[in-house]
Amino acid sequence: MKNLSFLSRHEVFSLEKNRFHSDILPIIDSLFPYISNSVQLFYDSNDHLIENDDSAFVENSEVFINEIAQNEDIAIFLNIIKRLLSKCSFLTLGVEYYYIDRDYRDSYYMHYSEKHTEISRYCTRVVIFADDYVGVLNKVRFNNNQYSALKENFVGAIVFTPLANRCIGRTLLNPKYFFEKGAAFIRTTLYSVNFKGYQFNVYAFPFRMQDTITTTCAEITIMNILDYYSKGYSNYSYVMPSDIHQIAKQEKYDRHIPSGGLSYELISRILYRAGLAPKFYMSQKIDDKDIRHLISYYIESGIPVAIGTSSISNDKNKMGHSIVCIGHGKCNYSLSLISAKRTPNLQCQYINSADLYNEWIVQDDMSVPYCVFKQIGSDRIERQKGGAEYSKSVDFFETKKIDCIVAPLYKRMYMDAIRAEDTVLSILDDEMYSPQEYLNNSPVIFRLFLASSRHLKTFRISSIRNNTICRLYQEIPLSQFVWVCELYTKNGYANQKAFGEIILDATYSGPNLLESCLMINYPNKHLAQFFDEASLFLIDDPYEQSMVSKESLDFVEFKGPNEFSAYSNLQDKQGFRTN
C-alpha cells in the first residue's frame, strides 16, 4: 500500500500541565511561523528539544516565552492555555493546516490579496480536548467509545490566520473550562466543528482579534454579536468584514481601508440594518438612571451588550475601545455592604439585584476570551488580572469609563429597560399592588429581565406544583416577549426562590406604564390581564380547580404557591445558558 503521509495536513500535540515549557514550544513553533526561527534555538540538529538541564531549560524557556508574549496574539493564546490548564491537567491539540476560514478569506480578497508582499490565503485551525487523546486523534477512524469520549471532552476550536501579531481569528471555546461552578453566568449558543470528518459540538460565545486593517474593535463587536444571533436565531444573517464596510461606506465620508473604527451610532445603525432593533444609551443622557443597571437587565435577559469605553485620563492618544458583555460574575448573596432604597410614597424598601454582583464577563479582542471586568462605581470598569498572566503594561489594566452601550433587541421589544424599571418601581410604590405585606419591614430584592413567554411558561408549569397556578400560566395570553420581575426576600434570593412575580408586556408603547402589567403573582393573590380587561381568577371549586373571571382591578385571594424557582436566561445544567 502506498504511503500517503505526504498528504497529511493534520498534526496532534500533547500539552501536560507539569511539562508546560517543554510541550508549549513545538506548539508555538507550529502556530506562529513568524517567530519560528527563534524557537529553533531550543532544538538540536535532530529537531529534538534540548532538555539536558531541566532547571536551566525551564528558566530559559520562561524568559523566551515572556519575550514572545509581547506579541498580542501569542499572549492571548498563552493565556487561554494557562486558563485551561488551571482546570485540566492535560490537553490534546489537533492542528489542521490549510484551513479555509470565511472571515479571513473575506478580509483577504477585500485587502490582503492586493498588497505588494504575498500573504497566504489559508489559515490553521486548532481543536482542543480536555484529556490525553493523542493516540486516538492520530487514528484514521474513531470507534464509538472513542468518539463519545472526544465529544464529551471537547473544549473548542481556535483559528490562526497568517497575519503576524494579530493572527487569532474566530474562536469558539466552552466557558465551563474557564470558571469554577457558580463563578460566572454566561449566555452561549451551540456551534458545531468538523475535524477529520467528525462533528463536535461546543457551547460558546464567539471571540476574535482585530487585525487593525480590515477590522477594529468596532467591527469585531458587530461580528461577534451577529455571529451569536445568526447561529441561535434564523431571523439574522452572519456578517463578514466586507458586509460591514459596505454599509459603513454609505454613512462615512472617508476611506474605509485601513479601518479607522466606527462610532457607536454607526455600530447601532449597522446592527439595525442586520435586522435587529438596537437601543442606544449614552451615560450622560440617561438622567438619574444607573448605566450598570441597564447592562444588568439586558445581560440577565440573555442579550449581549456592546459597551463603548474610554480612558479616564486626559491622554488624547488613548482611543476608545469597544467590548461585548455576555454575562456576569458570582452574586453577593449575603447582601454585605448593600443599602436598601425606598420608594417615594409608600417608603417600600427595595434592593436591585443588579447591585449584588460587580463583575462582568466580557469578550474583549485585546484580552483572553471570557475575561473579567470589575465594576468600579456606576460607570467605570477595570480589567482583572486573573487569566492574564502574560499581559501588557500596567496601562492594560487601567480603569475605563463606560461612555455608551448598545442593546441589540428583537424588533418588537418596544418597552426598553428604563421604562420597565420605572413600571416595576411604580408597582412597588402603589398601595394596591405593592408586596409590602409579605416583607415584615425587610427590603424586597427585585430581579428584572426579558424572557420569551413560551420559555417562561414552560419553566413555570414544570416547576410549580399547584395545578391552579399552572393552569393560569397555561391560559393567560402573553406577548411573545415579556419583562419579568422576580421578587425575593434575602433568604429567598440566596436559595433562588422567589415569593412573587410581575410580568410586563414588552410590546407595550403607551404612556400609562401600569397598563403594561399582564400578571402579578403574590402568595395567595393573583392578578392577570386578558387583552384589554383586567381579569381576576378565583378558585370556584377546590376539587375541580376551576376559575372564575371578574372584571376588576382588585386582587382575589386563593391558596397559591409561597415560592417558585428563579428563571434564568444564563444558567442551565452545565452552568451556562444556551438557546
Side-chain angles (χ1 to χ4, degrees), residues 12 67 141 165 168 231 258 357 404 427 479 481 516 560:
V12 180
E67 287 179 357
R141 295 181 182 274
N165 301 319
I168 294 183
K231 191 63 180 177
Y357 46 82
C404 57
I427 291 173
S479 52
F481 291 96
S516 67

Side-chain angles (χ1 to χ4, degrees), residues 365-396:
D365 67 279
M366 295 177 63
S367 187
V368 68
Y370 310 113
C371 69
V372 179
F373 275 68
K374 185 176 182 180
Q375 185 79 40
I376 310 293
S378 62
D379 64 348
R380 305 201 172 181
I381 54 177
E382 187 178 85
R383 280 191 192 93
Q384 298 302 285
K385 295 184 178 180
E389 182 176 334
Y390 301 98
S391 59
K392 303 178 186 179
S393 62
V394 177
D395 290 344
F396 185 69

Side-chain angles (χ1 to χ4, degrees), residues 77-121:
F77 174 69
L78 291 173
N79 287 329
I80 291 173
I81 295 301
K82 281 287 190 178
R83 285 186 69 174
L84 293 177
L85 287 176
S86 68
K87 295 289 297 288
C88 315
S89 60
F90 202 107
L91 297 173
T92 303
L93 278 64
V95 179
E96 180 181 355
Y97 301 107
Y98 297 100
Y99 175 73
I100 298 175
D101 177 69
R102 59 178 170 174
D103 291 344
Y104 174 69
R105 276 291 173 97
D106 184 76
S107 292
Y108 177 83
Y109 287 117
M110 183 171 61
H111 170 69
Y112 293 107
S113 63
E114 300 174 350
K115 293 178 68 68
H116 175 65
T117 54
E118 184 176 351
I119 298 177
S120 175
R121 295 177 299 161

